[in-house]
Amino acid sequence: MHTRISVSGLCFPTLDLAASLGALHDVGAGWTTLQARKFRETGWDRGIERVESSGIAVAGLVAEFPEDLGDPQTWTVSRAKMIEALDAAAALKAPTVYSVTGPGISEIRSRSVTAFARFIEPVTAHAKEVGVELSIETTLPSFAWVSFLHSLEDARQVSAMCDLGLCLDLFHVWDDPDLAEYLGEAADRITLVQIGDCVFDGTSPEKAVPGDGVVPLAEIIGQVARAGYNGVFDLELAGPRIDEEGNVAAARRGVAFLESALALE
């Protein structure tokens, strides 16, 4: 497998950590991103040991998001979960931990931004202490239940304000009008690029195996690479179409697409 291809553990959402690692071996993954939640369920030390013995390198961990930015009394627990993920990433020599902002707390966006900035400040400080890049991900508006960042301009502002990197999930931003400008001006903030195609079921976007949908992924991957991004391209597939095909089979086809796209670089 190409050394810049990663297969996310999110491709196998129903599997525990041990089974996820087995599925990653089945598709030949050399790199992966993994959910911090699965380490917590397994036990942090045991989970780290399992990953280290698997021979699969970790490009990043997915931290749980703050579920209620409007209630500071919940922040201690949410921060602690993020800090646990950062410590595990440091132990695994993973370069980044990413998450989403959590849902907004007001129709006035600035109030959500202010609350998130207050929430994330000590987590960012810990990230710097352990040498792991903390990143945020922008999402489609249909994912407002986990994030209030729905454009690259939103992400640019908040990542700069809070000194965060950006996890660039192309499923969510491929048609953002600011994508080319962002790549030209802020590519150094990108810590991870995630790959998934998009089809429209009625009016709702649905994730698909690369090459099955409408996203010009090969072209965008080339743009990202030329902008100076030198990390992995992380295949992230989930949803009804993926379940119907089978997670491992879909991941194998996604890897084959990425092999072809990266061969052009």
Side-chain angles (χ1 to χ4, degrees), residues 96-116:
T96 189
V97 167
Y98 77 91
S99 188
V100 285
T101 60
I105 62 173
S106 170
E107 292 182 359
I108 301 174
R109 183 176 170 278
S110 62
R111 293 179 182 173
S112 298
V113 172
T114 298
F116 177 74

Side-chain angles (χ1 to χ4, degrees), residues 24-61:
L24 290 163
H25 272 296
D26 286 346
V27 300
W31 287 92
T32 188
T33 55
L34 295 165
Q35 292 165 280
R37 173 183 60 80
K38 293 187 178 182
F39 285 83
R40 184 171 293 108
E41 293 167 353
T42 302
W44 288 103
D45 291 342
R46 187 180 182 191
I48 290 168
E49 182 180 346
R50 280 186 167 172
V51 174
E52 288 177 334
S53 63
S54 75
I56 301 172
V58 180
L61 294 184

Side-chain angles (χ1 to χ4, degrees), residues 18-191:
S20 295
L21 292 170
L24 290 163
H25 272 296
D26 286 346
V27 300
W31 287 92
T32 188
T33 55
L34 295 165
Q35 292 165 280
R37 173 183 60 80
K38 293 187 178 182
F39 285 83
R40 184 171 293 108
E41 293 167 353
T42 302
W44 288 103
D45 291 342
R46 187 180 182 191
I48 290 168
E49 182 180 346
R50 280 186 167 172
V51 174
E52 288 177 334
S53 63
S54 75
I56 301 172
V58 180
L61 294 184
V62 190
E64 290 136 303
F65 60 87
E67 296 184 7
D68 192 354
L69 287 172
D71 182 5
Q73 292 185 355
T74 68
W75 291 4
T76 298
V77 172
S78 293
R79 284 168 172 161
K81 289 181 176 180
M82 284 192 163
I83 286 170
E84 285 180 326
L86 287 163
D87 288 343
L92 291 164
K93 297 181 173 55
T96 189
V97 167
Y98 77 91
S99 188
V100 285
T101 60
I105 62 173
S106 170
E107 292 182 359
I108 301 174
R109 183 176 170 278
S110 62
R111 293 179 182 173
S112 298
V113 172
T114 298
F116 177 74
R118 287 177 56 211
F119 164 80
I120 205 69
E121 184 176 10
V123 186
T124 306
H126 188 80
K128 293 185 183 303
E129 289 176 7
V130 298
V132 176
E133 186 89 38
L134 184 62
S135 306
I136 51 170
E137 180 180 13
T138 185
T139 71
L140 291 167
S142 55
F143 287 77
W145 60 280
V146 300
S147 174
F148 59 83
L149 299 183
H150 305 307
S151 72
L152 283 173
E153 181 56 32
D154 290 345
R156 184 202 298 266
Q157 293 174 6
V158 173
S159 65
M161 175 189 298
C162 301
D163 196 17
L164 299 169
L166 178 70
C167 172
L168 188 74
D169 188 332
L170 295 180
F171 173 75
H172 294 282
V173 302
W174 69 274
D175 60 347
D176 191 300
D178 292 327
L179 179 58
E181 180 182 358
Y182 190 91
L183 292 175
E185 297 181 0
D188 59 335
R189 283 199 175 270
I190 299 173
T191 58

Side-chain angles (χ1 to χ4, degrees), residues 11 206-209 237-248 250-251:
C11 292
E206 189 175 303
K207 191 161 283 191
V209 174
L237 302 175
R241 292 173 64 92
I242 309 305
D243 294 340
E244 183 178 353
E245 179 173 351
N247 301 83
V248 170

